[in-house]
Amino acid sequence: MNAVFEPVATSLGASVDQLKVIVCLLLSYPLAEIFTRLDASNPNSKHIYNLAISSLFLLGFLELWTGVLHLLGSVLATYFICANFKGSSMPWLVFTVVMGHLTINHLYRAFFEISLDTFEITGPQMVLTMKLSTFAWNVYDGRQPAESLDKWQSEKRVVKMPSLLAFLGYSFYFPGMLVGPYLEYANYAALIDRSAYATEKGKEKASAAGRLPPGRKRAGYWCMIQGLAFLGAFVLYGGKFTFPVVLTDWWLTKGFFYRIGYTQLIGFFERTKYYAIWKLTEGASIISGLGFTGYSADGKPSWHGAANVNIRVIEFPSNFKVLLDSWNMKTNVWLRECVYKRVTPKGKKPGFRSTLITFSTSAFWHGIASGYYMTFVLGAFIQTVQRLVRSTVRPLFLPAVSIIPIELHGPPGTSKPKPAPEGPPSFVKRIYDLVGTLASIIILNYAVVPFILLDFWPSIEAWNRLYWHGHIGLGLLLLFFYGGGAGYLKGIQKARVKKAEKVYNVDTNGQNVVIANGRTPMPMTPGSHVVPPVDLLAQKVEKGGLN
């Protein structure tokens, strides 16, 4: 098999294993077309098909015979634990088993110095770890009272244990088996019986012989085109724009601003390989029928449910949080639902401890290289600073009336107080947004240096050659906020709100929004946004009132 791929891999400057993975992802498209044509009234045929295609990829192409046994071991252990352990510790036991197994294989890879160009079992095992630990929590939630669960937990809960064949089909769902994205069992079951295509309007359900919702092929093959385009960009420019360049003597001849600017180019081209892989696997998943999210208001079908990355938001983020939420999106869901929320005591708000545990888990899941931990621990501090900026600085760039809590959905007790709608952004708000976008992408490209370099001392040297600008900036901001800056800024907010409340009030029963001096009460109906044009009102408020 290798002899077939070696000439092409050499001409592309890629490893044989990398080329094999790309071929498997491209083969997933026609194989996914066949999957959609299997009889939905015979779910076992689809489970067996998933097992057969995954075996073809893992054994026929990638020759991971021992690796498959590792995957099967984790799958069978998870199924046994979920079926036989009923207590609250069950999901944590599964998490410990599958994460521990993954870590052993990470250690094996590191000990024997297996090249990153070699595709071995830890890649699929990382995806499987998310699937299995999520399944354990879904089963646990299925045993809890429905009223004690949040929306995600209610939607994904597994009330009845599936058959072993169905669980194997879920574990080895072939479009996402090699590199993700992972999916919850509820989504897999809905894909198999086609209940995923039921819409809220009319509650239609595709029949076993019926057609899938329209737009599937257009969305799926557009993802494939995007994936191939990013793959081409990486092949052409990835060798030039890569973080090891920072460690060369050439880098030392460049000035501060050149280094910062060049780092942004490096960051983009380092991301293209991830964009390529994730768009290719997203497209194959869509072709198989996964990812349908319903119809828009104008009746157009939406196929965004299999996305693992939002490229536009990542490259032009409004803040660091939306950037993180748009990168490796399915892993973010796993970390949020199976780590972040679960380590936070009920009734308490997640804090820095929950954030740090979550980022550390992400690093642990990626591997044992010190670079992962350097990136993700720094990421926890970036998140903290981002929250402080959003809660204390951002309101100063909004009209004062937009941060007055008012009832938007009826009388008190029927909904939580929410801020009034912000309205069109002002010029200074646009400047704030632009600065936020630049700061987010610059700190991202600084923070991921160790993630790519992996080793501790090369990462330290690279950060040193970037003048530690990310650490210094974060340190100064933390010193400012915790040194009294946060309280000072909140004091300014309160003063602005107090001034605005004199001319913009909410009556005591929450039914009307009344502008001072008895002008124009505006009836409030559930779901309506009942505020005057906020920019206009804000300008008058800040000038001294409405006269």
Side-chain angles (χ1 to χ4, degrees):
M1 179 69 74
N2 285 353
V4 176
F5 290 98
E6 282 175 357
V8 181
T10 301
S11 64
L12 294 175
S15 71
V16 171
D17 280 0
Q18 289 171 341
L19 183 59
K20 285 181 179 180
V21 170
I22 297 300
V23 169
C24 288
L25 294 180
L26 292 175
L27 282 175
S28 294
Y29 283 78
L31 293 171
E33 292 280 13
I34 297 173
F35 179 82
T36 62
R37 287 164 172 75
L38 297 178
D39 187 359
S41 64
N42 181 16
N44 286 345
S45 65
K46 294 195 172 187
H47 303 321
I48 293 171
Y49 187 80
N50 277 322
L51 287 169
I53 301 305
S54 290
S55 298
L56 172 67
F57 290 166
L58 292 169
L59 302 177
F61 281 89
L62 297 168
E63 302 176 15
L64 296 172
W65 294 86
T66 304
V68 168
L69 295 178
H70 281 280
L71 299 182
L72 276 173
S74 287
V75 170
L76 295 176
T78 298
Y79 191 82
F80 175 81
I81 293 170
C82 290
N84 294 283
F85 289 77
K86 310 298 183 182
S88 60
S89 62
M90 181 273 289
W92 292 116
L93 178 59
V94 170
F95 182 85
T96 302
V97 169
V98 297
M99 186 67 87
H101 189 185
L102 173 62
T103 302
I104 290 172
N105 284 335
H106 279 318
L107 287 167
Y108 179 89
R109 178 169 194 154
F111 183 79
F112 288 99
E113 298 181 346
I114 299 174
S115 168
L116 292 177
D117 292 335
T118 301
F119 189 88
E120 42 75 72
I121 204 58
T122 55
Q125 193 176 13
M126 289 169 71
V127 179
L128 192 62
T129 295
M130 291 190 288
K131 277 187 175 182
L132 299 180
S133 56
T134 301
F135 178 80
W137 280 112
N138 296 155
V139 171
Y140 172 80
D141 292 336
R143 296 167 179 168
Q144 308 307 308
E147 59 272 13
S148 69
L149 306 177
D150 63 25
K151 182 181 178 183
W152 185 90
Q153 293 165 353
S154 297
E155 290 176 350
K156 308 303 180 184
R157 68 200 300 245
V158 175
V159 178
K160 180 182 178 182
M161 279 291 291
S163 68
L164 180 58
L165 179 60
F167 187 64
L168 287 168
Y170 160 69
S171 300
F172 291 95
Y173 168 69
F174 73 91
M177 187 266 306
L178 293 179
V179 294
Y182 95 103
L183 72 164
E184 298 85 2
Y185 184 79
N187 289 358
Y188 176 76
L191 171 68
I192 295 299
D193 65 13
R194 295 196 173 184
S195 62
Y197 314 125
T199 63
E200 292 185 3
K201 184 180 179 180
K203 296 293 182 183
E204 303 98 345
K205 182 176 179 179
S207 66
R211 298 181 62 184
L212 278 69
R216 173 180 60 92
K217 292 183 179 180
R218 184 185 305 111
Y221 287 110
W222 172 238
C223 285
M224 184 185 75
I225 292 170
Q226 293 178 74
L228 291 175
F230 281 112
L231 183 62
F234 178 72
V235 170
L236 291 174
Y237 301 106
K240 179 180 179 182
F241 298 100
T242 181
F243 279 116
V245 170
V246 178
L247 302 175
T248 63
D249 292 338
W250 169 82
W251 187 263
L252 296 176
T253 65
K254 304 302 177 183
F256 173 77
F257 291 106
Y258 185 94
R259 296 186 191 189
I260 300 302
Y262 200 89
T263 301
Q264 311 319 306
L265 289 175
I266 291 175
F268 171 75
F269 283 105
E270 289 282 12
R271 288 190 291 276
T272 56
K273 58 188 174 188
Y274 298 100
Y275 293 160
I277 293 296
W278 286 334
K279 295 307 289 187
L280 287 175
T281 192
E282 177 189 349
S285 299
I286 291 173
I287 295 300
S288 76
L290 184 70
F292 179 68
T293 52
Y295 295 93
S296 63
D298 56 0
K300 293 182 179 180
S302 173
W303 290 89
H304 301 301
N308 201 36
V309 64
N310 187 327
I311 298 170
R312 183 188 63 80
V313 173
I314 291 170
E315 297 304 326
F316 303 99
S318 58
N319 58 65
F320 195 73
K321 181 184 183 301
V322 299
L323 188 156
L324 287 182
D325 290 344
S326 302
W327 173 266
N328 208 352
M329 293 157 63
K330 298 300 183 181
T331 301
N332 284 335
V333 171
W334 172 64
L335 289 169
R336 182 183 69 240
E337 300 296 339
C338 299
V339 181
Y340 187 69
K341 287 183 178 179
R342 308 293 181 169
V343 299
T344 303
K346 282 199 171 185
K348 298 278 182 85
K349 287 186 177 181
F352 180 74
R353 173 181 168 274
S354 299
T355 300
L356 188 58
I357 290 174
T358 304
F359 274 90
S360 299
T361 301
S362 182
F364 197 63
W365 174 75
H366 278 88
I368 64 168
S370 56
Y372 295 136
Y373 298 87
M374 295 169 73
T375 290
F376 287 111
V377 170
L378 181 61
F381 285 94
I382 296 172
Q383 274 277 64
T384 299
V385 170
Q386 188 272 146
R387 286 180 186 143
L388 288 167
V389 170
R390 186 169 181 82
S391 63
T392 62
V393 178
R394 182 175 179 270
L396 303 180
F397 292 86
L398 300 174
V401 294
S402 70
I403 55 176
I404 300 175
I406 63 172
E407 294 282 352
L408 292 182
H409 302 285
T414 62
S415 66
K416 294 182 180 180
K418 300 178 181 179
E422 295 176 10
S426 63
F427 175 75
V428 291
K429 177 59 167 55
R430 292 181 188 276
I431 297 297
Y432 170 86
D433 290 340
L434 177 61
V435 172
T437 295
L438 292 174
S440 296
I441 203 69
I442 288 172
I443 195 63
L444 169 70
N445 291 328
Y446 176 84
V448 298
V449 171
F451 188 92
I452 302 299
L453 296 180
L454 296 180
D455 295 327
F456 180 79
W457 288 114
S459 299
I460 291 294
E461 178 61 23
W463 271 342
N464 187 52
R465 294 184 178 199
L466 290 170
Y467 303 102
W468 298 96
H469 68 268
H471 286 81
I472 293 172
L474 290 172
L476 291 174
L477 286 170
L478 287 170
L479 186 63
F480 169 76
F481 286 121
Y482 289 112
Y488 173 75
L489 294 175
K490 287 182 178 179
I492 296 177
Q493 289 181 37
K494 289 179 180 178
R496 294 179 69 226
V497 169
K498 189 173 182 180
K499 188 175 181 180
E501 284 176 338
K502 294 178 180 179
V503 292
Y504 185 84
N505 299 304
V506 182
D507 69 4
T508 55
N509 65 16
Q511 294 300 303
N512 297 299
V513 175
V514 184
I515 298 177
N517 302 323
R519 295 190 184 187
T520 321
M522 302 177 64
M524 178 175 258
T525 56
S528 64
H529 288 171
V530 288
V531 293
V534 288
D535 271 350
L536 209 55
L537 180 61
Q539 290 172 12
K540 293 184 177 182
V541 168
E542 311 242 288
K543 288 179 180 179
L546 294 172
N547 298 313

